[in-house]
């Protein structure tokens, strides 16, 4: 179903007339939004495609206002339509128009994403506090991979988009540079340069922290 959404072109409308209208005899125009909502609730995949074409821009705009342009906004947009489609049994066309229902779904997905970010931040803070307060003579040293991720989480708090999204995809979803470029739509060279600059910043912070500890 996600593939269906990704391959659908977004039609451009001028007023109430679609620019891809077929002038041939017997042409049937697309249904109005109310009919799309009824067919969506009934499980018509064509209605899902129409809904994505008509309302994805509004949903994506909400996500961009919440997170800025980048992977988070794109992911939330996809999640909204996937969740709406799989949960269409809960949609009642007679109670609300489809775009209003999608806006509600989008708000929940935005809240979920903020909650995930907050969990990551609190986990990083707790790990940093534990590492700083643990006695040096007891227990094994902090695992290097865990320490690296803690430092990356702290670094992410200072990044904007798209750098933050790229680093999250690289280190928390273990995607390759090529996969990140495909996911974000950014050139491969841009992805590599963002990751390189972020790692250079992290290396500088480590050197400064190490000097401070040994001063």
């Amino acid at each position: 179903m996600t593939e269906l959404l990704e391959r659908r072109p977004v039609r451009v409308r001028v007023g109430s007339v679609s620019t891809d209208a077929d002038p041939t005899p017997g042409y049937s125009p697309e249904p109005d939004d109310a009919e799309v909502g009824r067919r969506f609730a009934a499980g018509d995949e064509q209605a899902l495609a129409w809904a994505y074409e008509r309302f994805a821009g509004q949903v994506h705009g909400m996500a961009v206002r919440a997170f800025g342009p980048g992977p988070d906004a794109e992911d939330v947009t996809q999640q909204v339509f996937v969740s709406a489609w799989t949960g269409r049994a809960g949609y009642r066309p007679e109670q609300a128009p489809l775009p209003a229902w999608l806006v509600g779904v989008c708000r929940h997905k935005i809240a979920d994403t903020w909650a995930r970010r907050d969990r990551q931040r609190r986990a990083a803070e707790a790990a940093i506090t534990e590492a700083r307060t643990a006695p040096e003579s007891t227990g094994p040293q902090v695992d290097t991979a865990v320490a690296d991720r803690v430092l990356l989480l702290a670094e992410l708090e200072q990044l904007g988009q798209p750098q933050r999204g790229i680093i999250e995809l690289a280190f928390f979803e273990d995607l390759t540079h090529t996969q990140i470029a495909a996911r974000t739509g950014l050139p491969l060279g841009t992805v590599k340069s963002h990751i390189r600059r972020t790692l250079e910043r992290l290396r500088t912070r480590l050197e400064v922290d190490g000097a401070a500890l040994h001063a």
Side-chain angles (χ1 to χ4, degrees):
M1 193 278 290
T2 302
E3 290 77 7
L4 172 67
L5 296 180
E6 291 176 343
R7 68 172 181 262
R8 295 297 300 182
V10 177
R11 290 183 171 87
V12 178
R13 294 175 177 273
V14 180
S16 60
V17 180
S18 174
T19 59
D20 64 349
D22 187 347
T24 59
Y27 169 73
S28 177
E30 293 181 1
D32 61 18
D33 290 352
E35 178 62 17
V36 169
R38 287 189 289 269
R39 292 171 63 170
F40 185 97
D44 183 346
E45 284 195 358
Q46 181 59 53
L48 168 62
W50 282 327
Y52 189 81
E53 291 174 355
R54 297 181 186 190
F55 312 127
Q58 179 181 1
V59 170
H60 184 253
M62 290 179 62
V64 168
R65 286 193 293 275
F67 306 112
D72 278 340
E74 296 292 342
D75 287 346
V76 165
T77 302
Q78 288 290 329
Q79 289 170 21
V80 166
F81 284 90
V82 171
S83 179
W85 181 248
T86 57
R88 61 187 179 277
Y91 170 55
R92 298 290 181 270
E94 68 277 6
Q95 295 180 0
L98 183 57
W101 189 65
L102 292 172
V103 164
V105 175
C106 186
R107 287 173 178 155
H108 284 293
K109 293 302 177 184
I110 288 172
D112 289 344
T113 302
W114 278 121
R116 173 177 58 80
R117 283 186 169 189
D118 187 58
R119 287 194 298 272
Q120 290 178 340
R121 178 186 58 78
R122 286 187 281 109
E125 291 174 350
I128 291 171
T129 299
E130 182 178 356
R132 287 174 176 172
T133 58
E136 294 184 2
S137 59
T138 61
Q141 295 297 313
V142 177
D143 183 81
T144 302
V146 174
D148 288 345
R149 293 204 170 203
V150 167
L151 289 169
L152 279 169
L153 283 168
E155 180 70 13
L156 288 178
E157 294 297 322
Q158 304 180 35
L159 293 178
Q161 295 291 0
Q163 292 93 337
R164 176 171 182 153
I166 290 171
I167 293 298
E168 287 177 340
L169 292 173
F171 289 90
F172 298 104
E173 296 191 28
D174 297 321
L175 298 187
T176 66
H177 292 174
T178 302
Q179 290 171 329
I180 294 171
R183 173 80 71 87
T184 61
L186 293 171
L188 181 59
T190 301
V191 170
K192 290 181 177 180
S193 65
H194 280 316
I195 292 175
R196 184 180 66 254
R197 285 196 296 269
T198 301
L199 291 178
E200 287 173 353
R201 285 180 57 185
L202 179 59
R203 187 179 301 110
T204 300
R205 286 185 58 193
L206 286 171
E207 291 173 352
V208 171
D209 292 345
L213 288 173
H214 292 90

